[in-house]
Amino acid sequence: MVHCPHCETELTEADDVEFLDMDSTTGFFTASKRFYLVGCGDCGAAIGSGVAGAM
Ligand SMILES: [Zn+2]
């Protein structure tokens, strides 16, 4: 999957990462989409992000 740039933990399973739902933090994103920040489950560093449709 990915390597954490901070602690170099290899994140190979979904349990290794945190998906933070950013939907309620701002009104920037439309209601039909949700913005996810992917963070390292070990040290909490932000690794990546994505937008998932609400379909
Ligand atoms: Zn880490």
Side-chain angles (χ1 to χ4, degrees):
M1 196 166 164
V2 292
H3 260 90
C4 174
H6 253 294
C7 66
E8 299 192 349
T9 296
E10 188 169 7
L11 308 170
T12 55
E13 299 183 18
D15 281 353
D16 291 333
V17 296
E18 298 178 27
F19 291 90
L20 307 177
D21 190 346
M22 305 291 282
D23 190 46
S24 58
T25 55
T26 70
F28 184 81
F29 297 100
T30 63
S32 63
K33 290 185 178 177
R34 294 193 147 207
F35 181 75
Y36 291 94
L37 177 68
V38 182
C40 175
D42 195 47
C43 71
I47 297 168
S49 59
V51 177
M55 309 287 280

